[in-house]
Every structure is written in C-alpha cells, then in structure tokens.
Amino acid sequence: MAKTKLISPHGSDELKVLLLEGKERDAELKRAEGLPKIVMTTRETGDLIMLGIGGFTPLEGFMGKADWKGVCQDMKLSNGVFWPIPVTLSHDKKLDAGAEVCLVSGETNEIMGTMKVTESYQIDKDFECKHVFGTTETEHPGVQKVMAQKDWNLAGPVKVLSESYFPKEFKGIYQRPAESRKIFEEKGWKTIAALQLRNPMHRSHEYLAKIAVEVSDGIYIHQLVGKLKPGDIPADVRVKCIDTLVENYFDKERVVQGGYPLDMRYAGPREGLLHAVFRQNFGCTHMIIGRDHAGVGNYYGPFDAQEIFHNLWDGALECKMLPIDWTFWCYKCGGMASMKTCPHAKEDRLFLSGTALRKALSEGGEVPAEFSRTEVLAILREYYAGLKDDEKVEVKLHGHATGDAKVDKKK
Amino acid sequence: MAKTKLISPHGSDELKVLLLEGKERDAELKRAEGLPKIVMTTRETGDLIMLGIGGFTPLEGFMGKADWKGVCQDMKLSNGVFWPIPVTLSHDKKLDAGAEVCLVSGETNEIMGTMKVTESYQIDKDFECKHVFGTTETEHPGVQKVMAQKDWNLAGPVKVLSESYFPKEFKGIYQRPAESRKIFEEKGWKTIAALQLRNPMHRSHEYLAKIAVEVSDGIYIHQLVGKLKPGDIPADVRVKCIDTLVENYFDKERVVQGGYPLDMRYAGPREGLLHAVFRQNFGCTHMIIGRDHAGVGNYYGPFDAQEIFHNLWDGALECKMLPIDWTFWCYKCGGMASMKTCPHAKEDRLFLSGTALRKALSEGGEVPAEFSRTEVLAILREYYAGLKDDEKVEVKLHGHATGDAKVDKKK
C-alpha cells in the first residue's frame, strides 16, 4: 500500500510561503522602513498574513485586474486556477509599475510587509459585490467593506514580515498550514474534515464535528480569529467554549484545533469555497458545509453554499465538501438529528433563536442542555455578565432566525 | 454539470443477468426436465439466484479451478478481476466437459437452472477454508458448509430459471439489482451507502444508517433473507423491525429497503468484501463496515473487515467502504456515539450482551429505549413469546459478547 500522503496544497505541489524569517526578514524590514507606506484595513492585513503563511497558496501577492475580473466573474485566475474571492489591496492613488511600497497595519501601525507594484487599476465595485456577495446593498457587512475601499487597487508580489498579534494573542490556537500539516502527518491521518467556526460551539456544531469524526480520520476545528461584525462573540471566549467541549465531549486524539487570521467577509457560498481552498492548504481533504455557511442576514438561501460546490468544473478544487443538513436536537428521535434524518414535526425539535438565547444567557434564563453543553453555557453566561447593557444589544447568534425558544419542552 | 449516473456494476459496464424470462425460460425449463439433476444446497441455490439477477456480475456461472484458486489465494479471478469468495457448485462425481445438467434446489425440489459443464475438479478444502475463513475449525458455520461439500466441484456457465420463493415470500423486500438501480436513478441519488443487516435493527444500526444518510444521498438497508445459523432471528421478524423503525424514525424519502437471497457464510473480512462487490451491482457507492462485520464467535478481530479494505490494490473495487467504529448509547454524551467520538468511561456507556437481551426479551425484563426502540422491542417480545422453550436456547444476538446489561442505569 502507498504511504500516507497529505493532500497537495491548492494549485501547487508545495505551500507558497511568502513570510520571511531571520536575517532575510531583518534586512527587508530595514528596507521597508524607507519605503512609502500603504495603510491596510484589517481585512487586507488578514489576507496578507494568509499570503505569508501559505494559507492562500498559490497566490503570490495582491491580485491584478485580470485576476480580479476572472475571479469575480468566473471564479478563475488568469492562469486558469480556481479562486472564488478577490484578494486585493486598495489605495487612494495610482502608483507606477515598479514602485516599492511598505505595507502597514492600520490597526497596529506595524510594518507587515512590502510589495513591488506591478499594476494600479480601478474597479467597478458594484460588479465585484454583485458577483461575490450577490448583492450591492450596503447593509451587507462584506459589501460595506468593498464600498469603503479606496479608488485604486494596487497589485503585485508581496514579502510578508509579520503575523501581527495573532501568534501571541492566540497562542496554541493560531496556526500556520505547515504546522497543521505536520500534526496530521504525525498522526498518520489521511482524511481530515475541517469545521469552520466563528460562533460559540453548541451541540449542533458538535454534531457536525462528530459526524465528520465518524467518517474521517479526524477533525480540524478551525476557528476564525480575525474580525467579525460588531456584537459577535469574541475569539477568546469562543476558544474557551471549544476547549471545554473538546475536553469533556471529544476523544482528544481525533481533534486538532487551529485559528486563522482572516476577517469574515460574509460572502456565503463564495466564502464557503474560499474556506475549502485554504483548508486544503492547511491539509484537509474535506470541508464541512452546513446551513447558511458564512452567511449573514437573509442574503443567501440556507443551502446555497452547498449548491455552489456542485456546480464547480471538474478538477477545480481537490478539497471536497462534506455537506450536512440543518441539525438540531429532536425529542422524539431522542438525539441529535438533521432535516435529512429526522421525520418528526417542528414541535418535536429544539430550536432556539439568537434573540432567545441571548436573552436567556444575559438574564439568567434556562437553556436546555440539548441545545448547548452546560460547560459552554457557563462560559457564555460569564461573558454576558461582564458586558455593559449597550454592548448586549448587537449580539446575534445567526443570520437566519431559527424559531422560538422551547426551553420548557421536556423529553 | 454531467448528468447523474450510477456507479457501474463490478468489472462490467452492465449487469450480467443470467435469469431467463418468458418464452425463452419456458423452452429452457422444458429442456431442463430431461437433463441429469444436480441437487444444490441452500448456499448454492442462493448463489445461483444472485448469478441470475446480476448480483454477482461479472460472473457467468460457477467457478472453475483456476478462478477458485485465484479467488482463495489472491482474491482475483483468472482474468484479473477482484473477487473475494469462491462461488462453486459441488457434486459427488466427476462429469465430462460438455455435459448439460439441471440444477435443482434441495430445499424445494424446484428446477432452478441449467449448466453446461466445462470442468470437474477436486479441491483442497483446508486450503479454501484457511484462506477464506482464516480457520479450518468445523465449529465455524461457514467452514462446516465447505467441509460438507461433495468431492467434486462442477464449473460452467449457467442459465437461471427461478428466483425460488424469495419474490413471493419477501414481497416488497426481495429485489433485483436492476430494480434498486431504477429506484436510485428515479430519486436522482448519486452517493448511496448500503447497510448490511442480518440481525434485528437496534439503535446502534440506526446510528450507522443515520450517519450514512447525513453524508450521502440515501441509505440502502439491504437485508439478508437467505439462511442464517440456527437460532438467529428469522427474516420476516427482522423485516417487521426495520419497517417500524423506518416508519417512526427515518425520513422515508432517504431510505430504500431491499433483501437478497444469500446464505450467510460468516467469512468476516472476506464476506465484507463480497458485500461491497454485490452492493456495487445493486447501485451503491459505499458499503458500511462496522464492528465484527459478517463475523461469528471470536474468529475475527472486531475491525479485521475494515482492515482488509485498506489492503486492496488500486482499482480492485469501486464501491468504497464507509467504516464506522463500535457504536453505543453514552449517558454522558447524551446520545449515540462510537469509540471514535466518545471519550467517556465504560460505565457511562450502555452495552447489552446477546444473552442479557435474549433473557430480557423472553422473560419480560426491561430493555432501555437507548438500546432499542420500544416499537422494535415489542415485535421481538412477541416473537420470543411464540417460541418453544428449547428454541430459545440457541438464539444469539452477536458473536462478540458486548458486556453486561446495564438496564438500571439512569440518564
């Protein structure tokens, strides 16, 4: 039998790591200090770090116009490689080709990298938003960010000089693709499913993860530690929730946890595809796509993100989708179930809207253990207790309302 | 996107159906009546029917010596096609090549088919048993049947004239591969997992089936309606158990039921492979392999049947294994789980030995609903109530003991 070999990175035989280290980094950093500064948003900074650690293999920098247009329109780079979402850098003026610039984080003022400009171009933002988000409505938090971009996009290969605060602030969670790959190799895993998380992990997420464990060698619980929309639960709280869940309810040998530095774009289906692309770079063979993956509000149908995977051309993407239906506890089934496995009525199922959960957690109401493990609820209660009243208002669990609380339903 | 197409039959572009119908059958039946009779065992009769309906595609009849030896030793027919278990016909004397014979069921005396003998040969039964069953001990019910074979094997292409009592006695359950394929096609299913059943369906089987539903388009609950070892639960009772389970706990749209006419061989790993081969012929892309698949007593390690799939050569078998670990209810998990997903202690898990279950069912003891659905238990209680005392002794649930009953454990 052939020796176990991990899945190749996307569109490349090896990870394209653009992060410099040691002396090479020192020299480039010194050089950067003398270059004109471009200030990046958190989304651009997150993208740059992903370029640095090889999470965006095979990209070598921010996209030029041909790539941008191909990606928006056909999900295809100009070299034919599949890519679902533009990775671009904006600036308020045109720069000449050949210009060298220093890339600075607008959040921390740290020098993050350098770029050799190959192209400055203007884009039709409506065109991008329509293709990528399916909407141009500025209430959409992803559209908002695109519309707020400056007038020019700068393209070119990058050298990355820092991973910002992520390695320190999310120590033990933040991970490079080379690190997760090493762990998978050491474990001898061949089939690995990735679970995308940006919300606290309740029993429905646990169920997704456990189905994946049943049918794969292991699960990669891969959490977003970049920026969400205002009011979402912060990453450190979410990390604690996952930790306690893994500690108490998983075979730890079957779970690897990791965090990645991107901002949410809330691009729904397109972002689901991007999630699979970079999970492949992290070494995963499967990407779990559940209900309303990477969605927000009611912009996407609950299973649009599954549908889009079915419509890719052959060979577009090696990492396969593991589609799972809408999951919940069913009192008649006497267990976790999904719309695919449970035949019972709505009244037999436990649904909790974000509003009801928020209210219960912040006002001390009961939340059934069939919705969320008591250990997880305790952490969330503590977090809500520490919030000021005006901070509580914005907190939302999901874009789609999931029905009313049924906290008094007994088994 | 390419139109949905079912998996091809094993080693062939189309089903090899050797069953004659209509006028062609009438003529061959008339001819058969004048031919020398070969009386078949139930195992041979079941094999012949499978040959007839295309379940054993690409075989064209009972195997000759080269195929027999290749299958025993290397799981390979002489033409290189993968095949894991001999399909042979025994007789008490040698017949000349070219002889035409009439194949008769020893159970019903019905004429089942005809064969044109191409070869008569003797076999080393120990060699067959060692390779296929891993043992020559005659307590093994599969070994017993091989050892009871007559001195000669007859090989040759067959024409099949009857499906015996299966279509009538198991109306609505017994199915030809062309029928299940038609159903799958009409449903537009692409990925279909087969669940092999020869025991009543308890919650652990339900859990296997539901995992498969979560990750595939649907499940084919494919039940053996041929002969088991003495004391096992008869097929009609098992059919009733499955019916009530599907009726009450499954989305019926995701389930297709079928029955097949083979005897159990109890060949463990080798039989697991045969199960996958003929499930592919029935249109399935995946074969669920759980704990002690097709095992008996302690002849096989609990996951030997999963191991053997990993060791096949590339391209041997298109139908893939869906391996699932030992499953049970865990009180701490608060749900069904497996050794892969549950981190808790033995005491937290609900195990019931065959002996304990039998005792509880026949003497009216309690069986937890977490082990088996009340609707299923009611059917089994009724069956046990109708048995004479001496019939109860032999009834066994599983080969491997699974620990003691824990009927008083509360959630």
Side-chain angles (χ1 to χ4, degrees):
Chain A
M1 212 173 70
K3 198 180 161 294
T4 298
K5 202 182 157 291
L6 291 182
I7 193 169
S8 293
H10 180 63
S12 172
D13 288 340
E14 47 187 34
L15 288 171
K16 202 142 273 178
V17 177
L18 308 172
L19 184 71
L20 303 185
E21 300 194 83
K23 280 185 186 163
E24 214 181 353
R25 175 182 179 276
D26 297 343
E28 185 68 7
L29 189 58
K30 201 162 175 186
R31 201 177 71 87
E33 283 161 1
L35 298 175
K37 287 192 168 59
I38 306 278
V39 178
M40 297 183 294
T41 65
T42 58
R43 193 200 74 197
E44 290 162 346
T45 306
D47 286 356
L48 182 71
I49 299 172
M50 280 293 261
L51 286 165
I53 61 181
F56 277 171
T57 301
L59 303 187
E60 303 195 358
F62 289 106
M63 291 178 184
K65 185 149 193 180
D67 282 341
W68 169 82
K69 193 179 174 194
V71 165
C72 287
Q73 198 167 270
D74 306 313
M75 303 198 283
K76 215 178 251 184
L77 297 169
S78 49
N79 64 4
V81 169
F82 168 73
W83 198 276
I85 286 189
V87 175
T88 56
L89 174 68
S90 85
H91 190 49
D92 53 12
K93 60 174 186 283
K94 185 181 194 305
L95 292 185
D96 289 337
E100 302 260 7
V101 292
C102 166
L103 304 175
V104 175
S105 159
E107 189 186 13
T108 64
N109 290 320
E110 189 190 0
I111 293 178
M112 298 297 301
T114 60
M115 183 169 87
K116 184 168 186 160
V117 177
T118 52
E119 188 185 353
S120 299
Y121 61 101
Q122 289 186 300
I123 60 162
D124 178 346
K125 290 178 179 177
D126 277 8
F127 174 87
E128 173 167 340
C129 289
K130 217 151 50 186
H131 279 285
V132 174
F133 300 102
T135 177
T136 54
E137 286 180 25
T138 48
E139 290 77 43
H140 186 296
V143 172
Q144 234 165 65
K145 288 191 179 182
V146 172
M147 294 306 182
Q149 282 173 205
K150 293 164 200 146
D151 283 348
W152 292 83
N153 277 359
L154 305 183
V158 296
K159 289 177 180 165
V160 183
L161 302 170
S162 168
E163 290 161 280
S164 188
Y165 50 76
F166 292 106
K168 198 170 163 194
E169 192 164 315
F170 298 100
K171 200 174 150 76
I173 287 293
Y174 174 79
Q175 223 166 35
R176 300 177 183 178
E179 291 169 329
S180 58
R181 286 179 164 266
K182 187 157 177 268
I183 297 170
F184 300 155
E185 258 163 10
E186 282 168 3
K187 285 180 169 287
W189 286 359
K190 207 166 156 181
T191 52
I192 301 130
L195 178 66
Q196 154 76 20
L197 276 187
R198 58 172 165 130
N199 282 307
M201 196 167 170
H202 298 297
R203 281 203 71 176
S204 60
H205 308 106
E206 179 188 330
Y207 182 56
L208 299 186
K210 287 192 166 173
I211 293 171
V213 171
E214 296 293 8
V215 302
S216 324
D217 292 330
I219 181 102
Y220 187 43
I221 300 181
H222 204 203
Q223 172 148 209
L224 180 137
V225 294
K227 296 282 179 274
L228 297 153
K229 58 185 164 36
D232 280 336
I233 308 272
D236 59 327
V237 180
R238 287 183 278 123
V239 168
K240 262 200 263 180
C241 293
I242 298 177
D243 279 346
T244 190
L245 206 50
V246 171
E247 182 63 32
N248 290 290
Y249 296 100
F250 279 85
D251 176 353
K252 284 187 282 295
E253 290 305 307
R254 297 282 177 186
V255 181
V256 175
Q257 281 194 64
Y260 66 97
L262 292 185
D263 282 13
M264 274 304 295
R265 283 165 155 96
Y266 302 95
R270 287 282 188 119
E271 194 157 5
L273 292 170
L274 184 69
H275 285 161
V277 166
F278 71 76
R279 261 49 173 250
Q280 182 175 333
N281 290 333
F282 278 85
C284 299
T285 53
H286 292 80
M287 175 75 217
I288 299 174
I289 302 287
R291 183 175 171 274
D292 199 28
H293 188 98
V296 65
N298 288 304
Y299 288 103
Y300 312 107
F303 296 101
D304 285 0
Q306 295 185 358
E307 193 56 32
I308 201 169
F309 275 81
H310 290 302
N311 295 327
L312 298 183
W313 62 95
D314 276 353
L317 181 57
E318 212 181 324
C319 177
K320 297 296 165 224
M321 160 174 67
L322 181 61
I324 303 184
D325 213 311
W326 190 3
T327 61
F328 44 78
W329 178 273
C330 169
Y331 289 95
K332 271 212 179 147
C333 287
M336 294 301 299
S338 83
M339 293 288 182
K340 262 174 109 181
T341 49
C342 165
H344 303 117
K346 215 178 145 187
E347 304 84 68
D348 300 314
R349 299 167 176 169
L350 173 65
F351 294 117
L352 217 58
S353 71
T355 316
L357 178 68
R358 190 163 69 245
K359 199 163 141 61
L361 288 174
S362 50
E363 297 174 10
E366 221 188 297
V367 179
E370 289 87 358
F371 182 82
S372 192
R373 300 290 185 182
T374 49
E375 296 88 343
V376 171
L377 291 172
I379 292 166
L380 293 176
R381 279 187 209 285
E382 198 191 321
Y383 164 71
Y384 277 94
L387 284 185
K388 297 186 207 90
D389 274 353
D390 62 331
E391 291 173 318
K392 288 176 190 170
V393 185
E394 289 292 329
V395 177
K396 276 190 183 160
L397 180 71
H398 277 303
H400 281 264
T402 48
D404 288 319
K406 305 213 311 175
V407 291
D408 52 0
K409 174 103 193 191
K410 286 283 167 290
K411 192 183 168 181
Chain B
M1 212 175 72
K3 199 182 159 295
T4 297
K5 201 183 158 288
L6 291 181
I7 194 168
S8 292
H10 180 62
S12 172
D13 289 338
E14 48 187 33
L15 289 170
K16 203 144 273 178
V17 177
L18 309 172
L19 183 72
L20 303 185
E21 302 195 83
K23 280 185 182 162
E24 214 181 354
R25 174 181 179 275
D26 296 344
E28 185 68 8
L29 189 58
K30 198 160 179 189
R31 200 177 73 88
E33 283 161 2
L35 297 176
K37 288 193 167 57
I38 305 277
V39 177
M40 297 183 295
T41 64
T42 58
R43 193 201 74 199
E44 291 161 346
T45 306
D47 287 354
L48 182 71
I49 299 171
M50 280 293 261
L51 287 165
I53 61 181
F56 278 170
T57 300
L59 304 186
E60 304 195 355
F62 288 105
M63 291 178 184
K65 186 151 195 177
D67 283 341
W68 169 82
K69 195 179 173 196
V71 164
C72 288
Q73 199 167 269
D74 307 310
M75 303 197 284
K76 215 177 252 188
L77 297 170
S78 48
N79 63 4
V81 169
F82 169 73
W83 198 275
I85 287 190
V87 175
T88 56
L89 174 68
S90 86
H91 191 49
D92 53 12
K93 59 174 188 283
K94 186 182 193 310
L95 292 185
D96 289 336
E100 302 260 8
V101 293
C102 165
L103 305 175
V104 175
S105 159
E107 190 187 13
T108 64
N109 290 321
E110 189 190 358
I111 292 178
M112 298 297 301
T114 60
M115 184 169 86
K116 182 165 189 162
V117 177
T118 51
E119 189 185 351
S120 299
Y121 61 101
Q122 289 185 302
I123 59 161
D124 178 347
K125 291 179 178 177
D126 277 8
F127 174 88
E128 172 167 339
C129 289
K130 216 150 52 188
H131 279 283
V132 174
F133 300 102
T135 177
T136 55
E137 286 180 27
T138 48
E139 290 78 42
H140 186 296
V143 172
Q144 235 166 64
K145 287 191 179 181
V146 172
M147 294 306 182
Q149 283 172 203
K150 293 163 198 146
D151 283 347
W152 293 83
N153 277 0
L154 305 183
V158 297
K159 289 177 180 164
V160 184
L161 302 170
S162 168
E163 291 161 279
S164 188
Y165 49 76
F166 292 106
K168 198 170 162 193
E169 191 163 317
F170 299 101
K171 199 173 152 75
I173 287 292
Y174 173 80
Q175 222 165 34
R176 300 177 182 177
E179 290 169 330
S180 57
R181 286 179 165 265
K182 187 157 177 268
I183 297 170
F184 300 155
E185 259 163 6
E186 282 168 0
K187 283 180 169 287
W189 287 358
K190 207 167 158 179
T191 53
I192 301 130
L195 178 67
Q196 154 75 20
L197 276 187
R198 59 173 164 128
N199 283 308
M201 196 167 171
H202 297 298
R203 280 203 70 176
S204 60
H205 308 105
E206 179 188 330
Y207 182 56
L208 300 185
K210 287 193 166 172
I211 292 171
V213 171
E214 296 294 9
V215 302
S216 324
D217 293 330
I219 180 103
Y220 188 44
I221 301 181
H222 204 201
Q223 171 148 211
L224 179 139
V225 294
K227 296 282 178 273
L228 297 151
K229 57 187 166 34
D232 281 334
I233 308 271
D236 59 328
V237 179
R238 288 182 278 122
V239 168
K240 261 199 265 183
C241 292
I242 298 176
D243 280 344
T244 190
L245 207 51
V246 171
E247 181 64 32
N248 290 291
Y249 297 100
F250 280 84
D251 175 354
K252 285 186 282 292
E253 289 306 307
R254 297 283 177 185
V255 181
V256 175
Q257 281 194 64
Y260 65 96
L262 292 185
D263 282 12
M264 273 304 293
R265 283 163 155 98
Y266 301 95
R270 288 283 190 118
E271 194 157 4
L273 292 170
L274 184 69
H275 285 160
V277 166
F278 72 75
R279 260 52 172 248
Q280 182 175 332
N281 290 333
F282 279 85
C284 299
T285 53
H286 291 80
M287 175 77 217
I288 299 173
I289 303 287
R291 182 174 172 275
D292 198 28
H293 188 98
V296 64
N298 288 303
Y299 286 103
Y300 312 107
F303 296 102
D304 285 1
Q306 294 185 358
E307 192 57 32
I308 201 169
F309 274 82
H310 290 302
N311 295 327
L312 298 183
W313 62 94
D314 276 353
L317 181 57
E318 212 182 324
C319 178
K320 296 298 166 221
M321 159 174 68
L322 181 61
I324 303 185
D325 212 312
W326 190 5
T327 59
F328 43 79
W329 178 272
C330 168
Y331 288 95
K332 272 210 178 149
C333 287
M336 293 302 299
S338 82
M339 293 288 182
K340 262 174 109 182
T341 49
C342 166
H344 303 117
K346 213 178 145 186
E347 305 83 68
D348 300 314
R349 298 167 176 169
L350 174 66
F351 294 117
L352 217 60
S353 72
T355 316
L357 178 68
R358 188 161 71 245
K359 202 164 137 63
L361 288 175
S362 50
E363 296 173 11
E366 222 188 295
V367 178
E370 290 87 0
F371 182 82
S372 193
R373 301 289 185 183
T374 48
E375 295 88 343
V376 170
L377 292 171
I379 292 166
L380 293 176
R381 279 187 210 286
E382 196 191 321
Y383 165 70
Y384 279 94
L387 284 183
K388 296 185 207 93
D389 275 353
D390 61 333
E391 290 173 319
K392 288 177 190 171
V393 185
E394 289 291 330
V395 179
K396 274 186 186 164
L397 180 70
H398 278 305
H400 281 263
T402 48
D404 289 321
K406 304 213 311 171
V407 291
D408 52 359
K409 174 104 194 189
K410 283 287 166 291
K411 194 182 166 184

